[in-house]
């Protein structure tokens, strides 16, 4: 891309990274990050409303390709810092107490940052 002087004549050079003001680079980065966040949120919105397993799978694959992972912690120990309890299932097995029985609503993490905690059902020791 050629650069032009105010009089419209060609400067004869191509813009380089050094031609961009550092503040403009920050603004562009901030805009790109904000756009990425908005697109991720739109995908999560679509996932919550998708009726087709194929559509859900494709959206999750696309998100995973950019570092956004679906969280289904079935079988893991319940962690209130990473999971939201939506219900409990009584159990007589002490080994299951505090274990996630199933994921009610899938959670998502963008790399190491939790976007949405999964809502889970947790095994709870049955009182005698």
């Amino acid at each position: 891309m050629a650069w032009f002087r105010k009089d419209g004549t060609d400067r004869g050079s191509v813009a380089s990274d050094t031609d961009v003001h550092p503040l403009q680079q920050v603004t562009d980065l901030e805009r790109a990050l904000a756009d990425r966040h908005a697109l991720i949120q739109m995908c999560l919105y679509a996932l919550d409303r998708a009726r087709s397993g194929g559509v859900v799978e494709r959206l999750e694959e696309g998100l995973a390709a950019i570092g956004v992972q679906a969280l289904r912690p079935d079988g893991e120990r319940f962690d209130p810092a990473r999971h939201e309890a939506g219900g409990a299932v009584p159990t007589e097995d002490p080994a299951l107490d505090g274990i996630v029985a199933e994921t009610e609503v899938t959670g998502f993490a963008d790399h190491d940052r939790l976007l949405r905690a999964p809502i889970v059902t947790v095994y709870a020791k049955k009182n005698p």
Side-chain angles (χ1 to χ4, degrees):
M1 176 164 128
W3 284 65
F4 296 92
R5 295 184 180 106
K6 287 184 180 179
D7 65 3
T9 59
D10 185 351
R11 251 182 48 186
S13 65
V14 176
S16 71
D17 289 339
T18 59
D19 293 331
V20 179
H21 192 278
L23 290 177
Q24 182 61 41
Q25 290 175 340
V26 170
T27 302
D28 290 345
L29 175 60
E30 289 171 346
R31 183 177 314 120
L33 290 172
D35 289 349
R36 181 181 185 276
H37 178 74
L39 287 170
I40 290 169
Q41 292 304 313
M42 182 57 66
C43 287
L44 297 182
Y45 178 87
L47 272 166
D48 289 342
R49 288 150 184 82
R51 300 288 182 242
S52 163
V55 170
V56 169
E57 184 178 335
R58 180 63 190 104
L59 284 167
E60 286 186 7
E61 287 173 359
L63 287 168
I66 63 165
V68 177
Q69 296 298 318
L71 304 174
R72 293 182 186 88
D74 299 12
E76 295 178 16
R77 177 141 312 274
F78 177 75
D79 179 352
R82 298 178 327 154
H83 311 135
E84 181 179 331
V89 176
T91 182
E92 294 180 9
D93 184 349
L96 288 178
D97 188 36
I99 300 295
V100 174
E102 71 174 318
T103 302
E104 297 175 24
V105 178
T106 303
F108 288 90
D110 186 0
H111 299 282
D112 291 334
R113 187 171 60 93
L114 186 63
L115 297 175
R116 179 172 79 187
I119 300 173
V120 299
T121 302
V122 182
Y123 286 114
K125 187 176 176 188
K126 189 176 184 179
N127 292 328

